[in-house]
Amino acid sequence: MKKIVVIGGNQGGLAMAMKLGSLGHEVALFEKLKREDVAFDWHDFINPTIFKRLNLPLINKENFEEKKNWIFVSPGEKAKIPVGAGNCVRDICIMRRPLNDYLFSLAEKCAQLNYSCEVESLIIKDGGVCGVRVGGEEIYADLTVDCSGVYSPFRKSLPAEFKIQAQPHENEVMVSYRGFYERKSDVPEAEIINKLYFQHNNEKGLSWFAAGDEPNNVDVLISRIGKLDESTVQSALEKLKADNPALGDRLLRCGITTAIPLRYPISRMVANGYVLSGNSAFMTIPLMGSGIACSLLCAQILSEVLSKDESCELGNLWKYQVSFYEESGAKNTGIDVLRRWMISIDSKDLDFFFESGILNREMLAAGGGGNKPKITPKLALNILLKGARHPALLAKLFADLTKMKKATAVAQSIPQDFDEKAVCTWQKKLDGIFSSYPVII
Ligand SMILES: Cc1cc2nc3c(=O)[nH]c(=O)nc-3n(C[C@H](O)[C@H](O)[C@H](O)COP(=O)(O)OP(=O)(O)OC[C@H]3O[C@@H](n4cnc5c(N)ncnc54)[C@H](O)[C@@H]3O)c2cc1C
């Protein structure tokens, strides 16, 4: 039996505590916030197959419904493409608080859950992490699982020789405002829909207007790459109102701004006695920022690794990273290339891709985590014909599609066993693909 500390008590931390505790390890979770303040009062979209992967029954039916189709809107707002689940199982729309309560109820049976307890720092000794400091006390542990989020102060405090990236780059984070506004009652039914705007208001990022998920209100999201200030939120809100008469003035709940990692998973997520998980390992679908399923999946994977071999040494923990990359990370690495392509071209050019039909519903569904469309000779020919008038844009698209394939292949070629030299070479190759992208904010 091992002594394990989990830092952070949102979905990632709770899933870790539940999965590692159920193996019989002595698990203590520390979350700095009060329990009732951890989960935001909103719904999320997640793929229900993740519950089966964790051998968990699906959460009670009254807490979720099927995700509706969304309309994807081009920057100039001329192209409006309805996008469903593609050829994948449809996501569910699930309230976050009942989801956290569900995970909490399972985790509390096998782990000690401490809320309002801020971890101050890691104890780092002899080339590894051997515990944490909380409330002035030192708590020694065989394994520390860091689920403290995208700006983990612990990841930042690790020695350089651990080869773990300290922080994401500015253009690898999406700063998001989300608020629920009153929905006007006198609008036609046809306007009670969900819309996702790309490069909304001519800015790098997304906005959404979602009137179809909750009665009487409109869910508004304004997300921008790197930073988001009050005036950007206000001007995006005004634009959404002009386009959507159902959007009222009164904020009913939330009105929160927070950050989401938006990139491929970190290229080194383990050290002796230390594992990064969920947002702190940048485990999201990079186009949209969905990260709940990934944060649950990595808890399952770590429990599978430790159930075969309890060792918390780097060599054994590396198997966790390998499995995560194989099951989810490599695909998301490819999606990150697509995301960077989308923010690197200007809005007029993105309009062209939407309006010509080159960016079609299958591709947009794939970017959100659905199955990848096959680039068949017919599809390639169709793209060539449609894009003939814009050869430079087309050349960039093909270059990035090639890069997407390469990035996925490099991510899939992760060394199976830990060898410092081989792993460093792989990290350099993977990170190198992305270092050539300009920082665009
Ligand atoms: C607007 C918005 C919409 C989203 N929509 C979706 C969606 O539809 N679907 C989806 O799958 N995902 C969505 N996400 C992403 C999702 O919220 C995250 O990926 C997911 O919550 C990952 O959780 P986590 O546990 O890894 O990390 P986090 O949610 O970042 O949790 C980290 C926790 O660590 C705690 N902590 C930090 N420092 C310390 C410390 N020193 N000591 C103790 N505790 C500490 C924090 O208080 C926090 O509770 C959305 C995110 C946002 C912002």
Side-chain angles (χ1 to χ4, degrees):
M1 186 180 71
K2 297 288 180 187
K3 200 166 169 194
I4 299 175
V5 163
V6 175
I7 314 175
N10 208 359
Q11 298 92 29
L14 286 169
M16 276 292 175
M18 167 186 63
K19 281 289 160 184
L20 303 184
S22 65
L23 290 180
H25 299 300
E26 186 188 330
V27 179
L29 174 149
F30 297 96
E31 162 59 54
K32 69 177 175 185
L33 300 177
K34 284 196 234 149
R35 197 191 141 199
E36 61 273 24
D37 291 342
V38 174
F40 298 124
D41 183 16
W42 66 46
H43 55 265
D44 295 292
F45 305 109
I46 66 173
N47 199 283
T49 54
I50 189 62
F51 290 93
K52 195 162 172 213
R53 178 68 181 87
L54 267 73
N55 302 314
L56 293 178
L58 196 54
I59 190 168
N60 281 343
K61 242 186 148 44
E62 70 260 23
N63 291 315
F64 71 88
E65 56 183 49
E66 262 201 355
K67 182 182 177 185
K68 304 203 167 48
N69 280 1
W70 280 60
I71 311 273
F72 283 26
V73 184
S74 62
E77 301 183 18
K78 277 196 191 136
K80 296 182 178 168
I81 306 176
V83 176
N87 46 6
C88 258
V89 174
R90 191 174 276 271
D91 279 1
I92 55 173
C93 172
I94 189 165
M95 288 306 290
R96 186 175 283 212
R97 288 186 170 169
L99 172 64
N100 275 36
D101 288 346
Y102 175 60
L103 296 172
F104 183 94
S105 71
L106 297 166
E108 72 173 345
K109 290 186 186 140
C110 52
Q112 189 197 91
L113 308 179
N114 307 286
Y115 282 73
S116 306
C117 268
E118 179 162 3
V119 174
E120 287 137 20
S121 59
L122 299 175
I123 306 171
I124 302 170
K125 269 188 199 160
D126 307 327
V129 174
C130 45
V132 295
R133 294 183 188 87
V134 186
E137 253 184 69
E138 292 201 327
I139 298 173
Y140 281 82
D142 301 296
L143 178 64
T144 299
V145 185
D146 184 349
C147 310
S148 70
V150 58
Y151 292 121
S152 166
F154 311 107
R155 195 185 53 223
K156 209 169 132 187
S157 72
L158 297 170
E161 67 263 24
F162 284 17
K163 307 273 180 350
I164 294 180
Q165 187 178 336
Q167 292 293 17
H169 300 297
E170 216 176 357
N171 63 339
E172 295 174 337
V173 171
M174 186 153 81
V175 187
S176 301
Y177 167 88
R178 192 167 182 188
F180 291 77
Y181 287 78
E182 71 178 323
R183 189 168 95 193
K184 292 192 184 150
S185 54
D186 51 349
V187 288
E189 200 50 37
E191 292 189 14
I192 308 303
I193 47 175
N194 295 347
K195 291 189 205 165
L196 181 68
Y197 294 81
F198 285 81
Q199 294 202 12
H200 185 234
N201 218 5
N202 236 333
E203 288 154 357
K204 301 291 179 191
L206 304 165
S207 296
W208 77 41
F209 159 93
D213 289 330
E214 293 186 17
N216 312 321
N217 67 38
V218 177
D219 174 8
V220 169
L221 177 96
I222 297 160
S223 284
R224 298 294 180 264
I225 303 293
K227 51 184 164 228
L228 178 69
D229 57 29
E230 185 53 31
S231 66
T232 306
V233 171
Q234 283 314 320
S235 110
L237 252 178
E238 290 313 314
K239 191 146 194 329
L240 285 175
K241 278 182 196 160
D243 192 37
N244 299 284
L247 177 54
D249 290 325
R250 201 153 60 91
L251 177 67
L252 302 177
R253 68 178 211 271
C254 295
I256 289 160
T257 300
T258 181
I260 318 175
L262 212 61
R263 51 160 279 174
Y264 65 105
I266 197 162
S267 64
R268 176 98 59 116
M269 50 182 83
V270 289
N272 285 314
Y274 181 76
V275 161
L276 284 159
S277 124
N279 274 7
S280 52
F282 315 143
M283 293 171 173
T284 58
I285 301 173
L287 200 64
M288 305 296 184
S290 301
I292 295 175
C294 289
S295 74
L296 302 185
L297 173 66
C298 65
Q300 175 66 24
I301 289 176
L302 186 58
S303 74
E304 287 164 1
V305 168
L306 294 182
S307 68
K308 287 191 195 125
D309 179 347
E310 281 195 351
S311 165
C312 299
E313 298 295 308
L314 175 55
N316 192 41
L317 297 177
W318 177 252
K319 294 178 191 149
Y320 155 83
Q321 173 161 348
V322 173
S323 295
F324 183 79
Y325 256 93
E326 287 176 345
E327 195 165 338
S328 164
K331 179 176 169 189
N332 287 340
T333 302
I335 295 177
D336 192 9
V337 176
L338 180 69
R339 173 190 79 88
R340 289 175 203 243
W341 170 76
M342 269 191 158
I343 60 165
S344 69
I345 61 174
D346 76 35
S347 47
K348 274 200 316 299
D349 295 338
L350 192 54
D351 274 333
F352 160 72
F353 284 109
F354 268 92
E355 288 166 24
S356 63
I358 291 176
L359 261 182
N360 59 24
R361 65 178 70 185
E362 286 75 27
M363 285 189 195
L364 292 166
N371 288 336
K372 208 169 61 185
K374 280 206 175 76
I375 309 284
T376 57
K378 194 174 159 201
L379 179 63
L381 184 66
N382 191 26
I383 294 176
L384 276 174
L385 289 174
K386 284 176 173 161
R389 282 181 294 120
H390 297 274
L393 278 183
L394 216 53
K396 176 152 172 48
L397 174 66
F398 277 114
D400 277 286
L401 284 175
T402 308
K403 207 167 186 174
M404 192 170 161
K405 228 170 147 183
K406 182 180 167 197
T408 311
V410 169
Q412 275 164 344
S413 71
I414 181 168
Q416 294 293 304
D417 296 309
F418 188 81
D419 168 80
E420 186 65 43
K421 206 166 153 218
V423 168
C424 282
T425 307
W426 175 78
Q427 279 189 272
K428 234 175 158 174
K429 214 166 156 187
L430 184 67
D431 292 332
I433 293 173
F434 293 94
S435 64
S436 62
Y437 280 94
V439 175
I440 298 162
I441 295 164

